Amino acid sequence: MNILIIGAGGFIGSHLSEEILARRKDWRITAVDIASEKIERLMEDKNFDFIRSDILKDFDLIEERVKNCDVIFPLAAIANPLIYVQNPLKVFELDFEANLRIVKLAVKYGKRIIFPSTSEVYGMCDDDEFLEEDSNCVTGPICRQRWIYSCSKQMLDRVIYAYGIRDNLHYTLFRPFNWIGPRLDDIRNENNGSSRVVTQFLSNILHGKNINLVDGGSQVRCFTYISDGISALVKIIENKDNCADKQIFNIGNPRNEYSIRELAHKIVELAKKYDKLKNLVKKIEIVAANSADYYGKSYQDVSKRVPSIKKAERLLGWRPLIAMDELLSKTMDFYFAN
Ligand code: UGA
């Protein structure tokens, strides 16, 4: 099987590529990205063909590669809330416009597409747990620009779904719920908002800066270790008896449900175990921050986000294995043990 991974140099793409090359000698990867820092050690593998390319410019190259593959993963996207509010049109151009072109190529050439939707499409839905076929997608007013990411992804979900009906596009939509692990963000960047929450807190500790609980930190997320996410993606690629065809799956770990305040305290406790952080962590306080000051006025938050994963368990035979403490230890070892 020839798998085209667009955005292979990112967090999910690099872990997916690594797993495929390690375990599936019968699968070949064509990897497209503008950056290759996270995948340097895969370059020598004969089943890994890397092309440095910008999907916002190299349309012909992408079309050629789509023609020659069996499955497409369009993983190139901005997924950082600070950028949603600071540069919403950049999010629209990459996450929506560029990916729409790829979806249309999948339709044109009759290729299977495995598309990263997001937990963010459920937005401020107040269901206790989010269900792929039943939960509403709830966003805020237009002036709250945070929702441009959610809306871009939601619109693509709807377009892909419609192509599935009209043109028999073979697709799977997967919705990551706060996937965490090595290589997530660059914690050397010390600016607040430069990383997703776990890596942001690690960056704060590394730089001896206070940890900010945006609007008090009572908001809840379910954190999912990257290897659990990747094992779901491999099952989706395998598509045994067409189990993933034309399906939407939440891929998250509902047992790792924590408030951001609980997360901060856990991370501070764990940080004390690392020699290089011992002294830094003593200086750090966990403080409340106002979201308008931290992100800007056009931010709005999700107060609770818990996936139902019954569908993925039933159809894919998948379940997440890594509990919260192990997730944090593995991630922190990557950033601090060496
Ligand atoms: C994330 C991002 O949109 C994407 O990475 C992704 O599509 C999706 O959710 C997902 O991974 O499921 P969110 O969970 O809000 O959205 O992003 P984080 O930056 O990780 O923030 C989580 C929570 O921590 C937010 O409530 C945020 O306000 C809070 N936070 C963040 C703090 O309290 N302090 C900080 O310093 C940073």
Side-chain angles (χ1 to χ4, degrees):
M1 177 152 34
N2 288 315
I3 304 169
L4 173 61
I5 307 181
I6 300 167
F11 171 55
I12 297 178
S14 69
H15 283 277
L16 179 62
S17 299
E18 194 173 72
E19 176 68 13
I20 288 174
L21 295 176
R23 307 210 189 281
R24 297 300 305 242
K25 301 298 173 201
D26 50 337
W27 293 357
R28 288 183 50 82
I29 297 173
T30 300
V32 177
D33 209 304
I34 42 173
S36 57
E37 206 181 289
K38 296 178 181 176
I39 46 175
E40 282 308 332
R41 71 208 167 289
L42 307 180
M43 295 293 182
E44 299 304 311
D45 196 303
K46 66 176 179 19
N47 284 335
F48 191 73
D49 179 16
F50 177 72
I51 302 159
R52 195 174 302 278
S53 164
D54 183 349
I55 62 163
L56 292 170
K57 295 182 190 141
D58 299 338
F59 305 138
D60 293 346
L61 183 144
I62 299 293
E63 178 154 5
E64 205 45 43
R65 294 296 158 168
V66 166
K67 254 192 235 171
N68 294 316
C69 77
D70 302 302
V71 183
I72 313 163
F73 267 94
L75 298 179
I78 291 163
N80 178 332
L82 185 66
I83 305 180
Y84 313 160
V85 297
Q86 287 191 340
N87 202 341
L89 291 176
K90 190 169 162 196
V91 175
F92 175 74
E93 283 158 16
L94 178 60
D95 295 21
F96 183 77
E97 287 188 311
N99 280 287
L100 178 62
R101 276 195 291 274
I102 297 166
V103 171
K104 288 185 172 178
L105 290 174
V107 177
K108 181 172 172 187
Y109 294 105
K111 302 295 180 175
R112 194 174 158 220
I113 189 163
I114 303 176
F115 185 76
S117 175
T118 170
S119 64
E120 292 249 331
V121 296
Y122 299 107
M124 297 179 290
C125 176
D126 58 13
D127 292 353
D128 287 337
E129 53 170 22
F130 298 161
L131 288 156
E132 296 91 336
E133 326 297 339
D134 292 317
S135 289
N136 288 326
C137 300
V138 183
T139 58
I142 305 302
C143 58
R144 302 291 193 155
Q145 301 203 81
R146 186 244 169 85
W147 303 113
I148 197 150
Y149 173 74
S150 172
C151 289
S152 296
K153 289 282 190 180
Q154 186 196 142
M155 191 63 194
L156 281 171
D157 287 4
R158 293 187 186 281
V159 167
I160 290 169
Y161 184 88
Y163 276 130
I165 293 170
R166 193 189 74 180
D167 298 319
N168 198 26
L169 174 67
H170 291 284
Y171 68 85
T172 306
L173 303 178
F174 65 96
R175 297 190 170 148
F177 280 65
N178 292 81
W179 291 11
I180 307 296
R183 306 195 290 272
L184 173 59
D185 291 303
D186 183 355
I187 66 166
R188 290 168 300 185
N189 186 337
E190 56 183 293
N191 296 333
N192 276 330
S194 60
S195 304
R196 268 63 64 95
V197 68
V198 170
T199 30
Q200 183 64 54
F201 290 172
L202 300 185
S203 167
N204 291 143
I205 294 172
L206 183 65
H207 295 100
K209 290 183 161 181
N210 285 346
I211 284 179
N212 292 286
L213 300 179
V214 171
D215 291 337
S218 62
Q219 60 274 46
V220 166
R221 296 292 187 271
C222 292
F223 298 94
T224 311
Y225 194 61
I226 183 69
S227 63
D228 282 330
I230 297 299
S231 70
L233 296 188
V234 170
K235 283 179 181 289
I236 290 172
I237 301 171
E238 286 170 347
N239 196 23
K240 196 163 177 269
D241 302 324
N242 274 335
C243 63
D245 193 39
K246 298 188 180 173
Q247 298 292 347
I248 307 175
F249 294 109
N250 293 334
I251 306 295
N253 190 339
R255 285 186 298 276
N256 288 345
E257 180 186 340
Y258 288 90
S259 73
I260 301 303
R261 191 181 310 114
E262 290 168 326
L263 173 74
H265 285 282
K266 266 184 174 295
I267 287 180
V268 164
E269 272 317 299
L270 286 169
K272 293 176 184 162
K273 294 186 188 152
Y274 297 86
D275 282 344
K276 69 166 79 155
L277 300 181
K278 263 187 200 148
N279 289 331
L280 287 167
V281 87
K282 280 184 205 150
K283 290 195 254 163
I284 286 168
E285 286 180 53
I286 298 173
V287 298
N290 180 284
S291 58
D293 297 333
Y294 189 94
Y295 286 110
K297 281 204 182 72
S298 68
Y299 182 74
Q300 197 167 22
D301 209 347
V302 173
S303 60
K304 187 168 187 276
R305 178 197 277 168
V306 180
S308 161
I309 54 167
K310 290 196 185 71
K311 196 175 162 194
E313 287 176 333
R314 183 168 47 86
L315 293 184
L316 299 176
W318 168 84
R319 69 190 172 89
L321 302 173
I322 310 291
M324 192 64 177
D325 287 355
E326 192 181 353
L327 173 156
L328 290 175
S329 295
K330 282 172 178 277
T331 306
M332 291 172 75
D333 279 351
F334 168 79
Y335 285 106
F336 301 128
N338 302 315

